Amino acid sequence: SYLGELLRRDPSSGPLNRGMARLQAQQGRARDARLFYHRAVYGDWPDDGTKGRLETRFELIHYLMEQGDREQALAELLRLKAELPPAQTVAVRRAADLLTRAGAADVATEVLQAAAAATPRDVELLSHLADLQILSGRNAEAGATLRRAAGLAPARQDLRDRLAIVARVLALDPT
């Protein structure tokens, strides 16, 4: 194939390896798809490659989850966690969602807390963190996070509404 020929000329190309990974995935060759995804993640990318590597890692994680390989997806998510700059809050929220889906809500919370420390004025990030804290039964923490978010965005009725619900839950059961 044309893509195969290009890869023979430039085997370390991140974009070419990602293309081959997609082709292998479409053809149902899971093992080869994973191999090419890894080559893409660690391959050469134009410019500094951060965006390409990050998007490829997310693509690999989605692929692994579609394949039902939650354990491998979680391993990739933990690698992503180690590489992900906390200030890239959109990617952090995306990673937290995937970590939660993979059964690692506590790790997702850690990722969001680190990002919230790095970008303390990101209301969407704080809102996302509060959702995870509520999901994990950490209502007092969720209340504090929502108060912080509502203080930054006083016009956001949704934050005030969620804060009121958390306050009612804590009044019924402060533990």
Side-chain angles (χ1 to χ4, degrees):
S1 75
Y2 180 67
L3 186 56
E5 179 57 35
L6 290 174
L7 265 172
R8 275 187 280 290
R9 290 185 203 161
D10 189 4
S12 64
S13 167
L16 292 176
N17 277 291
R18 182 171 62 187
M20 185 60 87
R22 289 172 177 165
L23 182 63
Q24 297 301 313
Q26 284 177 343
Q27 294 176 351
R29 296 181 183 140
R31 184 178 167 159
D32 290 337
R34 291 175 190 197
L35 174 73
F36 283 107
Y37 273 123
H38 280 117
R39 286 181 183 170
V41 167
Y42 297 108
D44 297 330
W45 288 84
D47 304 321
D48 75 352
T50 302
K51 185 177 182 199
R53 282 186 186 86
L54 186 62
E55 284 306 313
T56 302
R57 174 95 61 198
F58 275 120
E59 195 173 312
L60 171 58
I61 292 163
H62 281 287
Y63 177 72
L64 291 168
M65 291 180 98
E66 286 171 6
Q67 296 292 306
D69 194 343
R70 200 175 110 198
E71 190 174 300
Q72 242 349 93
L74 186 55
E76 290 297 330
L77 281 161
L78 293 175
R79 285 185 194 102
L80 176 65
K81 175 188 176 260
E83 297 169 0
L84 192 61
Q88 288 191 12
T89 58
V90 172
V92 167
R93 288 196 311 264
R94 196 169 158 197
D97 284 341
L98 290 167
L99 281 160
T100 302
R101 283 180 43 206
D106 286 344
V107 178
T109 302
E110 287 174 24
V111 168
L112 290 174
Q113 286 171 330
T119 56
R121 301 189 61 76
D122 188 322
V123 174
E124 289 307 314
L125 183 73
L126 293 170
S127 175
H128 206 103
L129 176 57
D131 288 343
L132 257 179
Q133 290 167 327
I134 290 167
L135 186 67
S136 300
R138 297 153 94 174
N139 294 317
E141 290 176 44
T145 302
L146 285 168
R147 275 190 295 283
R148 196 165 132 203
L152 293 169
R156 294 263 313 258
Q157 185 64 42
D158 65 309
L159 296 173
R160 292 195 311 273
D161 291 345
R162 288 167 47 217
L163 183 55
I165 292 168
V166 168
R168 284 196 298 261
V169 168
L170 286 171
L172 294 172
D173 182 12
T175 60

